[in-house]
Amino acid sequence: MNNDYQSAMSVLPLIDKRRADDTRAWNAICIALKNCGVPYDVFEQWSLTTRYQDKNQIRRAWQNLNGNHTIGTLLFYAKQDSGTVPVQAYRQPDRFDGEKAFASIIQPYSNYSEMELDCELWERSPYRLLEKSDEKDFCAVLESLYDPDDMLFVGTPLANAAEQQRCIKSVKEHLARPCVAEFFRPNPLTGKPVMKANNVPSFVSDACVAKFRYAVLEFDDKPLLQQYAFFMAMLDKGLPIAALTFSGNKSIHCLLAVNCANAQEWTKKVEDTLFRNNLELLGCDGACKNESRSSRTPGAIRSSNGVRQRLLYLNPEVKK
C-alpha cells in the first residue's frame, strides 16, 4: 500500500490538469487516488481549476465514489498526457493481505470460546456491568460517556424530519424518561435542521453533528467469535474503546473514542486514516465511517428476533 501511495504522488503531477474538468476522468482519478491511500487534501488541490471551484462537490465525490481504479489508472492518464512516467511507478506494489493481517491480530485468542471472551470483556470493563442486561445498560452509557446537555437522537434511522426532531433530547431528558429504541446516534447533535440536496430537512445528517467524539466500528462479514477476539486484541493494544455492544444478531458494535475538533479533522483522522487506510483493509464495514452513523442501542430489544442488544464493555475513562 505504501508503494501505491508513493507511485501515485509521483505520477499525479504528470496528469494534465484539464482532466479535472472531464467528469469521467476526474471520477476515475478520484477513486484511484483513494485506493492508493492518497489524502483528500491532495485530491482537492489537484481538482481546483479555473472552471472547477466547488469544494463541497469535490468532498462529496471523495466520500461517495468507489470502484476498482488503481495506480494503473493514474499511469494510463500520465502516459497519455506526458508521454512518460517514472520507472519506479511501474514497479509491482506490495499487496496488503487484509485476511492474513486480521488472522494475525486475533491469533492470541484463537483458542478461546465465545463465552470465554464474553466473560473476559466483562471482567475488563472499567464500568462494572450488570450481570443480566436490561434497559439500564443504555443509561449507564449515557451517564458514562456524555455530558448532561449533550443532544442525542434515539430512534429509527428511517425517521422523517418531524420524528427526528421529537427523538432528539438532552442526555438529562433521556435519563429522566428512558425510551430505549433499537438505534441511537453516538455523536451529539445540534438539534437544528439542515437542508439536504433533495430539499428535505434533516436533524441527524453529518452536517447536524455538534461534537465529533465517537466512531462506530462493525464487522458484518466476520464470525462473531472473531469479532470478540479482534476487540480483545485492540484493548490489548490500548485502542480507546468506549463501549462494545452485541447487536442481538451477528455483530458487535464498537464506539471508538476519536474526539475530533471538527468535520475537517474527522475526514482526515477517521474517514481517511482510520477507515480507508486501516480498518477497511481488515474487513471493517466502510459504511460506518461518517460522523452521524447510527449504532445499536445497548439494552434495547432487537425487533427482528426479540434478542436483547447487550452491553459487553464500557469505559468511562475515554471521556476525560
Side-chain angles (χ1 to χ4, degrees):
M1 184 60 65
N2 187 49
N3 284 343
D4 278 344
Y5 165 77
Q6 293 175 342
S7 296
M9 293 297 288
S10 66
V11 168
L12 185 61
L14 302 177
I15 300 176
D16 197 308
K17 286 277 285 185
R18 287 177 296 179
R19 299 285 185 185
D21 292 323
D22 177 349
T23 301
R24 183 176 179 180
W26 181 69
N27 287 347
I29 290 167
C30 170
I31 294 168
L33 291 174
K34 282 172 56 176
N35 289 340
C36 289
V38 173
Y40 166 75
D41 294 346
V42 173
F43 174 65
E44 179 185 88
Q45 188 60 40
W46 181 84
S47 296
L48 294 172
T49 66
T50 303
R51 288 178 51 197
Y52 215 93
Q53 291 289 318
D54 189 344
K55 292 186 177 182
N56 288 329
Q57 185 176 356
I58 296 171
R59 181 172 293 278
R60 285 195 297 271
W62 183 264
Q63 292 174 337
N64 297 322
L65 289 175
N66 292 288
N68 297 321
H69 293 289
T70 63
I71 185 62
T73 299
L74 303 179
L75 290 169
F76 170 78
Y77 286 122
K79 182 70 173 177
Q80 281 197 336
D81 296 346
S82 298
T84 184
V85 294
V87 173
Q88 62 269 27
Y90 280 112
R91 186 177 61 180
Q92 182 65 28
D94 297 330
R95 294 300 174 188
F96 181 83
D97 189 331
E99 289 291 333
K100 184 176 181 180
F102 186 87
S104 176
I105 290 171
I106 67 173
Q107 195 278 330
Y109 296 97
S110 59
N111 293 324
Y112 283 67
S113 69
E114 191 175 302
M115 182 177 293
E116 288 172 330
L117 291 175
D118 190 287
C119 292
E120 185 70 20
L121 281 177
W122 191 87
E123 289 290 345
R124 287 202 189 189
S125 176
Y127 182 98
R128 180 51 61 206
L129 303 176
L130 299 172
E131 292 195 24
K132 184 177 180 181
S133 179
D134 61 22
E135 292 85 353
K136 293 178 183 177
D137 278 357
F138 189 44
C139 292
V141 169
L142 294 177
E143 292 172 336
S144 300
L145 303 182
Y146 297 95
D147 299 321
D149 59 347
D150 283 338
M151 303 293 289
L152 292 182
F153 171 87
V154 184
T156 172
L158 301 178
N160 59 28
E163 183 73 2
Q164 291 170 5
Q165 186 176 26
R166 187 184 70 80
C167 293
I168 296 175
K169 300 176 183 177
S170 70
V171 167
K172 183 178 180 179
E173 291 174 304
H174 281 301
L175 288 171
R177 286 188 166 184
C179 179
V180 186
E182 279 188 73
F183 295 89
F184 81 111
R185 295 181 186 263
N187 280 324
L189 303 166
T190 64
K192 299 176 182 179
V194 297
M195 297 301 293
K196 297 191 294 185
N198 58 0
N199 290 323
V200 174
S202 173
F203 288 83
V204 296
S205 66
D206 291 344
C208 297
V209 172
K211 298 179 181 179
F212 303 80
R213 288 182 179 169
Y214 305 110
V216 178
L217 277 56
E218 181 184 10
F219 290 86
D220 260 346
D221 297 328
K222 302 288 187 186
L224 190 59
L225 176 59
Q226 292 185 7
Q227 295 178 50
Y228 269 102
F230 177 81
F231 289 118
M232 283 291 298
M234 292 301 99
L235 286 174
D236 290 343
K237 294 179 182 296
L239 207 68
I241 293 175
L244 295 170
T245 300
F246 171 54
S247 71
N249 188 19
K250 61 178 182 178
S251 64
I252 294 173
H253 284 211
C254 170
L255 298 189
L256 182 68
V258 292
N259 296 316
C260 295
N262 48 45
Q264 291 71 34
E265 185 180 358
W266 179 281
T267 297
K268 187 172 183 178
K269 179 178 178 179
V270 177
E271 295 184 7
D272 292 341
T273 302
L274 180 63
F275 273 85
R276 292 193 180 96
N277 293 343
N278 288 281
L279 291 175
E280 288 184 52
L281 303 177
L282 298 173
C284 185
D285 186 356
C288 294
K289 67 170 70 75
N290 67 304
E291 51 265 55
S292 66
R293 178 59 45 178
S294 292
S295 185
R296 289 279 173 177
T297 305
I301 299 296
R302 189 182 181 110
S303 60
S304 62
N305 59 12
V307 175
R308 191 173 294 279
Q309 300 168 176
R310 185 164 53 90
L311 189 61
L312 305 174
Y313 174 92
L314 179 60
N315 183 10
E317 295 299 314
V318 300
K319 181 184 170 185
K320 294 182 179 179

